[in-house]
Each structure stands twice: as structure tokens, then as C-alpha cells.
Amino acid sequence: MLFISYAVASAQTIGTRPGPMQYPEALAPYNFKTALEMAFLKMPEAVVEESDTYRWPAWALDVFMGLPENIVAEGKITTQFINWHFQLGTKWQWSPVENVRTYVGVDYAYFMGGIGSSTFDNSNRSSFAYVNVSVGYHFNKITLTLKEELNYLLSRKDRAGDVTIRSFTNKFNGVTTSLYLEQEFWKDQQFLIGIRANYLKFVYQNWLLFPVSEVYYFVPEFVFGIRL
Amino acid sequence: MRLISLFIPLILVSSCTEGILLEVPEFRRGGFLSQTDDLPVSKAAKLEGVWEVVKGNEVFGDSVAITISGDRITVYAQPSVGYIVLETGVLDSVVFLQGYWRQQVNSNTGLADLYLPKFQGGGWVSTDSSAKPDTFLIVGTYGNGEANPEKDLVLRWVRPFSERAKQPFLVIAHRGGGRTSDRISYSENTVELIRIAERFGSNVVEIDVRLSRDGIPFIYHDSNLNPRLVQRGALVGPPENYPMKALKDFVTLIHGESIPTLEEALQTVVFETNLRGVYLDTKTENVGLVSKMIPLVQKAIQDVALVENRQPLTIVIGIPTQAVYDEFVSIPNHKLVPSLCELSLDQAIAINSLVWAPRWTLGTQDAGIQRAHNQLMAAVTWTMDIDEFIKEYVNNSSFDGILTNYPSLVKYYQLMR
């Protein structure tokens, strides 16, 4: 709640400055930018079958804060109501040439999923590390950003009723390649459309459907966002 | 915005996994076994037990369980849901075992070429007179893909199965033996897959039943004819929209088979396997499918008597939803119809089900199982594929069976108990 309050308050004071969200721009120390995202994940039909291929969207609140020495901190909360994913990390910003910006960073994430009903009493707790590099190009009114992320599954705990299984894996879990296109949308508002190509073994959004994680699944994610 | 609109077609891409077609390798011209004599089942049974993996641990783990599985000898391993399916032969008191290995949660597969040396088990297994040797070994090689097996595999006998491992346990193979998406050799829900289901440790198969437009029960899982299960063809939409002849003539399943009728599937079970059970998962609701299934079930049970030395067969009609439940209770004498109820235990008791089948997701449910057992009702759970949970449920729950896409893994944990 503290995170959300802080983010909303920050958006109200700093949101006057338009600009892209995923584009790896520098932020002045202790300045913020905040974005709201909606993402749709499409699971492999061969695995989750027709009834589960499209599921409800994930909503995310993404907050960037400038720090000294071209460091940017990022905090992100993603939810599908039964799934909560908390992410926190830092990025170092660099501008090799005009109109090109880069981020290099590391994030830690903690995932909590749970479902309780007459037929389910399950939960999952997992932690991840994401090592990422972003490269963005600023056209006249549009930015195009490519982000490459290495995904490590650090730990996993599954529970079904009275049975709990824990594993500390520290396993390479795959890669995510993202492409974001951002531009002014309406009255200085920035609009984002993007695709995240996940090539992962364990896709946390579908923890209940993915019992075995030895095979890489290509799972595209379609992202829409607006800067607050 | 124009640039953004150009971006939108990317959204049309689809998710996918690795290709689903994976052929397990075979020895050319029958391999060396074509030159050997058959090993009788009674003698092959001497191989049954727990074995230590002396060489080959990187693929098969530290210990494996070996048992006769249908018409093959199967070596059950834990890592990556591994198994080796073997045929046997004897020559000069040496027992030869050849076949293939597979890991079901990935694409790893290859040939396996093994033997029991004459004085380290071969002689004892293949004859009646020799004494059991002190060192009882299976030695040989395994390989990758079609390549000649060249990596060492050595197994050393440890012990026979425990009394607990020998207790009856229902290893229920999902969709006739497994999912198409796990790159099994045949399409799910086919007679071809049912024929070999026992080789992977199952003693019961679950199959999905729908009703064709002309009233014939047939086997198919999804509610649509889709690329997951069917090769590109002329028919689309729900398979129930078509008469059985059209489904037979115009639909080809992903590995080239045709959609079987329920009657064909049950005849395969009765006459071509020694399975002890069939779980008919009722997929089409509110059109009288249950009434159509009952006479086919009764005929199959009668046919069992025609097969010499066949173990008893139980066929249960699955009741997965309230709609099917309502249809079931509307049938006269429904309490005499063998059923498996996935709904509440009270509902299962009310219709005199043989089996209560709650989801595994609620935990081990010991109190409910105890109550089911008091009603002389078996309790099985579905559909469980997570290794650690399978181990926990097999060892520490009161369930009488598990429905799974990985029957070999359930069998492994059952035999290692």
C-alpha cells in the first residue's frame, strides 16, 4: 500500500513532464515516472488446451525513480488478483550516441499465487532474478525500445491442501525479448504498445497449469500502457 | 499512430512449444533379438525389483525399478520421467534386452542395448536349475536418437519389491496413455496408444467420450477439431456436429490415426491388453451420451470372459459435472451402473459410485478417503503431474490411485515404496 500511495503521489507531482516509459532515458535524481500497464499472455495451446489459452489480463503499476550517477531504480507490481508479482531493481543508464539510450540492470522479484475454492486449495511462492539490457532509439515523436532479459528461478514453493513442496532451484529459466513502441497519444499522454516474447520453462502467471518445467515454452505477451 | 498500427499484426503471432512429433528409435531389422529365443514371462519376472544404477546415472538416476509391463519389460527411472521399454530374448544362457529409452518431459530418447551375462544372472533367469548368482547385473549401452548406443549402462540388483510396493495401486493413464503435447508416439485417445499404455506403467486408462451427431459415442478430448489434435482437414468446429462416418473419413489425428469409436476403444482394451480398468470421461452433456455408453460397457465386460487368462476388467462411467450427474440419476437403476464421481463425496455415495475422484488440488483429503473406504468405494485423484507431489501422494496419502500424464513416474514411486 505504501508503494502504491507513493507512486500515485509521485505521479501527481511529476506527471506533468511527458515522456516515454520503457525507453531507457535518464531521470534526474529523485524524480519519478509512473506507468500503468495491461498485459495479455497467450499460453501454448498444446499444453493448456483450448479453454485456457486466453486468460484475464495482468495489470501492472511501474514506477521509475532517478538516482545519482545515472542510476534508475524501478519498482513494479503486477497482479491478476490471484497472482501477485513484486519486482524491485536498479538500472544504469548510458547514452552512447544521440537518440540512443541504454539501460543495464538487475531486478529481484517475488511471486505469490493462490487460489481457494471448493475444488482448489493451492498456492505458489517463487522468487526470480532478472538480468536485463534495454536499447532505445528516439525518433521524432516515437521511441522504439528493445529489452532483453535473462530469467533465473531462484526458489519455488508449491502447496496443495496439506502438502507443501519446496525447492531452491537457482536455475536459468529462459529469456524474454521485449519490443516497445511509445508515442504521444493524447494531450501529452504517452501510450505504449509492446510485445514480450517469453521463452521460459516456468511461466509464473500459469503456475497452476505448468507442473513440469523442463521444456521451454514460447509464450507471447501483449502489452498496452499509459504513463500516469 | 500509423506506426503503432503497423505494430499490431505482431499480436497475431501464436504461442507454441517444441514440435510435438517425436518418433522413438527402433533397432533395424529387429536388432539382435531376431536371432534369440523368447524369454517366457515367468522367467522374465525374475528381473522384477529395485536395481542400483552403477553407470548411466546422468540419465537414469541412482536407482530404477524393473517390472513386466504389458508385453514388455520396463525400467522405471525418476529423473525427467524416464523409462526404458525393452524386449527380451535368450541365447546360450545370456538374456538380451533391447529397446528404447525416453524422458517424457523433454525430447531425449535413444536406443538401449543390454544383456545379463551368463554367470551374473543370465543363466539363472533363463533356466530353472541354476542358483541365483551373488552378483546379478544388467550391462550394456544406451545412445541418443537413432545412433548406435555407446554410453555405458550398468544396473546391479538391490532387492525385490517391498510388500507395500506390491499392494494394488491404480496407475491411471490420462487420455489413453498420455498427452499428444508430451510427444508420445501416438495421438492421445487412440486405440494405438491404448495398446501400448501398459508399457508405461498404467493399469487403467482414462479416455474422453463424446457423442456424434448420429448418436455414436467416440473418443476425442477437445470441444473442437483443432490443430492441437487434428491434421488440417475439411471439418471444423465441434466434432459432435458430424456423423461418425464423416469423422472417420475426413478427420486425421495428429499422428495419422483416425478417431476411434468407444466400441473400438473398449474392444482394444478387452482383446489386446490386460488393463484392469477403463475410466470413461463423459465430455458431451445433455444429449443422452451416458445412456448410449451403458450397453457398450456391458458388452465389453461380457467379452472379457472370451479372453483366456485375462484379469477382471472394471469400466466406470465418469461423472465430471452436475449436468452429467443429473443425466445419470435420470437413468433407471443407475445405482447398478458402475460410475466414477468427480463431484462431492456425498453425491458419489448417493449414486453408489465405485470410485470417488476428487481433484488433487485439495490435498491428501484423508478424512474423505476414509469415509469413501467405509462405503467400499475406491478413491483416486486427478490429474497429477508434479514429480514431488506424486511422490508425496503415493507414499503418504490413502488414495487408491492417481490419474496422470506421467504413469511411468507414478509407477516408479509405487514400486520404490
Side-chain angles (χ1 to χ4, degrees), chain B residues 18-75:
Chain B
E18 297 172 37
I20 59 167
L21 300 177
L22 176 74
E23 297 294 330
V24 292
E26 290 181 1
F27 281 95
R28 289 180 192 150
R29 294 185 293 279
F32 185 70
L33 293 184
S34 60
Q35 302 171 42
T36 62
D37 299 324
D38 289 341
L39 180 70
V41 171
S42 60
K43 292 189 166 68
K46 294 179 180 178
L47 296 171
E48 291 189 326
V50 176
W51 295 70
E52 176 192 2
V53 182
V54 180
K55 290 185 179 176
N57 317 62
E58 64 280 6
V59 171
F60 302 104
D62 294 330
S63 57
V64 295
I66 297 181
T67 188
I68 296 170
S69 302
D71 57 353
R72 295 287 191 275
I73 297 277
T74 301
V75 179

Side-chain angles (χ1 to χ4, degrees), chain B residues 108-126:
Chain B
N108 297 339
T109 187
L111 294 167
D113 190 6
L114 307 169
Y115 67 99
L116 281 83
K118 182 175 182 178
F119 298 109
Q120 291 173 312
W124 178 67
V125 169
S126 60

